Amino acid sequence: MQCDTVWKGARLATMVGEALGVVEDGLVAARDGLILYAGARSDAPDLEAKRVVDCEGRWITPGLIDCHTHLVHGGDRAQEFELRLEGASYEAIARAGGGIVSTMRATRAASEDALVASALPRLDALIAEGVTTVEIKSGYGLDGETEIRMLRAARGLAAERPVEVATTFLGAHALPPEYVGDADGYIGMLCDTMLPEVARLGLADAVDAFCEGIGFTPEQTERLFAAAARHGLPVKLHAEQLSNLHGAALAASFGALSADHLEYLDEDGIAAMARAGTVATLLPGAYYFVRETRLPPIEGLRRAGVPIALATDCNPGTSPLTSLLLVMNMGATLFRLTVAECLAGVTRNAARALGLADRGTLEAGKRCDLAIWDVERPAELVYRMGFNPLHARIWSGQ
Ligand code: DI6
Ligand code: FE
C-alpha cells in the first residue's frame, strides 16, 4: 500500500475501546492527512512509504483536543484576581459590574486583528503540548458586531497555525449593560437577530449558554436552544457550575453534544445525559481556580456510562489556564479520574463533545492528528505538573 508517512517503532495509546487501547510494537501510516493504518507492526499491511520516521519507542496518542475554551477575548482580570484574594467572591464581583462584563468592555474595544494577536500566545501554549483541535467560544461581545468579530477571530486563528478550530456561539454568556433588567428581551434579540446572522455567516459550529443564577434561566436557555435547532446548530451548555438549575437535563432533552462544569449535577441530570448520549465535560481548572469544594458526581457519571471529557475552560475570569496536560493532572488529583479516563477526556470524548467523529482515536480513516511523547508510560502525561514531554506533533499528517 502506498502512503505518505510511516511512524514506526512506537508504542500506541490508540484510545480505541474503553481504555487506552495500548499497542506495544506499533506503527501509524498516513495518506492524504488520514490514518491508513494504526496498530501492531506484525498485523500491518505491506506499506510503501515516501517517508519513514523511527519513533524509537516513544508513545503516540491522538492529537489532544481542548473542547471548551474562551481563548479569544480582550484584556485580562489579574486585578480582579487580586480582589478575590482579598476576600471578594466571584459572584459579588460579577454583580458589581466586574467579571464577564469587564472582559466584555475590553473585547468590544479590540479589533479583530488585536483579538487574534492576543489569543495567539494562549493557542501556542496549547499547541506546544500536542493540541491539534481547539474549541473557541464567543461570549465577551454580547452585541452582534463584537460576537461576530470574536467568531471571525477564532476562525482566523486557524489560518495562523496548523490547528483546527471549532467555534461556539455563546451570546448568552452574560447580560450586557444595554439589557439590564430585560434578560428576556436580550434572549429574544439573540434568537431573532444575532443567532440567525451568525448562522447565515457560517461562523458557529454550535450554540452554548450560561444557565446559572448569575447567567440565564432554564426557560431562557430553552428558547435559545429552540432557535439553534431551527438553524440546524447543535447545542452545549454551561450547566450546574454554581447551583443546580437542572440545565444538564434540559440540554440533554435537546440532544446536546455536552453539558459542561456539572459540580451540582444530580441523579436525574445524569440519567438524562446518559439517555441522550450527552458528554459530561469537566473543567477542573475552573473548579480549582474558584476554590469550589463540591465535586462533580464522577461515580454517578461512571455508573451511568456518561462519557467524560476534560477541557481547560481557558478564560480570564475563572480558569486562566492554557495547559491540557495540567488539566489531566487536575482531573486525576482533584476529581480522582484514572489515567485512561483523563486521556480519553482530552481525545476520544473531547472529539465527541464537539460532534467530530473523524478524530480522537488512532484508527484507519480518522484524521492523522498525532502527539508523540518522550515518556516511558502514558501515566507520565497525567502525573507530572508543569513539564512538557511532547516530542513531536502531527496535524493532518504533517
Ligand atoms: N462559566 C465560567 O466558568 C466562565 N464562563 C462561564 O459561563 C467564566 C467566564 C468569566 O468569568 O469571564
Ligand atoms: Fe466556560
Side-chain angles (χ1 to χ4, degrees):
M1 254 191 249
Q2 297 274 347
C3 64
D4 298 324
T5 310
V6 170
W7 290 269
K8 67 166 193 177
R11 291 178 277 180
L12 313 181
T14 63
M15 305 314 297
V16 176
E18 286 294 295
L20 293 174
V22 168
V23 176
E24 278 295 335
D25 183 5
L27 63 85
V28 177
R31 188 170 64 196
D32 300 331
L34 300 180
I35 295 174
L36 191 64
Y37 174 81
R41 181 170 58 112
S42 53
D43 301 336
D46 267 338
L47 292 163
E48 225 179 278
K50 291 186 196 138
R51 188 169 77 111
V52 177
V53 179
D54 187 351
C55 294
E56 299 169 327
R58 293 187 181 88
W59 280 86
I60 303 182
T61 66
L64 306 188
I65 299 169
D66 193 350
C67 67
H68 178 144
T69 87
H70 310 249
L71 205 72
V72 168
H73 58 79
D76 67 65
R77 305 242 287 278
Q79 197 204 347
E80 188 176 298
F81 177 62
E82 285 187 273
L83 289 176
R84 277 186 44 218
L85 291 176
E86 286 159 16
S89 73
Y90 178 68
E91 277 154 305
I93 289 170
R95 285 190 205 285
I100 293 174
V101 172
S102 79
T103 301
M104 177 208 77
R105 277 185 238 110
T107 305
R108 285 184 179 180
S111 67
E112 185 179 326
D113 285 350
L115 290 175
V116 169
S118 67
L120 270 177
R122 296 188 280 271
L123 179 62
D124 284 339
L126 294 174
I127 286 174
E129 291 186 348
V131 168
T132 48
T133 299
V134 58
E135 185 257 17
I136 302 178
K137 301 175 195 296
S138 69
Y140 288 119
L142 311 178
D143 64 29
E145 196 189 309
T146 316
E147 286 291 305
I148 284 170
R149 193 158 74 246
M150 285 186 76
L151 292 167
R152 287 215 165 98
R155 290 258 200 255
L157 285 166
E160 298 286 327
R161 295 291 185 271
V163 70
E164 186 152 323
V165 173
T167 55
T168 301
F169 174 61
L170 180 58
H173 193 194
L175 197 60
E178 296 80 8
Y179 281 86
V180 166
D182 187 20
D184 282 325
Y186 181 63
I187 292 290
M189 188 278 287
L190 290 185
C191 294
D192 298 340
T193 309
M194 219 194 286
L195 175 60
E197 180 67 358
V198 165
R200 188 182 68 77
L201 294 169
L203 284 172
D205 301 313
V207 173
D208 192 351
F210 187 30
C211 183
E212 192 59 69
I214 58 168
F216 295 92
T217 66
E219 293 71 27
Q220 290 159 349
T221 303
E222 188 169 358
R223 284 170 62 201
L224 181 73
F225 281 1
R230 286 196 292 278
H231 291 282
L233 286 169
V235 297
K236 34 181 58 239
L237 188 64
H238 285 71
E240 273 78 275
Q241 180 186 6
L242 308 169
S243 62
N244 183 8
L245 299 184
H246 310 285
L250 171 68
S253 76
F254 280 84
L257 292 171
S258 69
D260 303 33
H261 286 288
L262 304 177
E263 279 82 350
Y264 289 79
L265 180 66
D266 64 15
E267 278 298 326
D268 289 348
I270 293 173
M273 289 177 69
R275 275 195 304 276
T278 297
V279 173
T281 299
L282 305 182
L283 305 167
Y287 172 93
Y288 165 86
F289 196 76
V290 305
R291 295 202 200 92
E292 178 59 63
T293 51
R294 178 158 168 142
L295 285 164
I298 306 288
E299 201 40 55
L301 291 167
R302 273 190 192 124
R303 234 184 294 116
V306 176
I308 295 174
L310 289 175
T312 60
D313 195 15
C314 175
N315 78 71
T318 61
S319 190
L321 170 59
T322 47
S323 169
L324 213 40
L325 290 174
L326 185 54
V327 165
M328 281 198 282
N329 178 270
M330 288 177 170
T333 53
L334 301 175
F335 295 170
R336 296 173 192 254
L337 298 178
T338 65
V339 167
E341 285 172 331
C342 288
L343 272 161
V346 297
T347 56
R348 182 176 70 232
N349 293 341
R352 190 164 159 181
L354 297 177
L356 296 173
D358 62 347
R359 67 197 72 193
T361 58
L362 303 180
E363 283 179 275
K366 300 263 169 147
R367 283 178 56 92
C368 186
D369 294 344
L370 315 175
I372 307 179
W373 305 97
D374 254 323
V375 294
E376 274 307 312
R377 52 195 304 152
E380 283 178 58
L381 301 176
V382 178
Y383 156 74
R384 293 187 195 281
M385 295 183 280
F387 181 77
N388 180 8
L390 188 75
H391 171 73
R393 171 188 174 277
I394 311 300
W395 184 74
S396 194
Q398 307 279 323

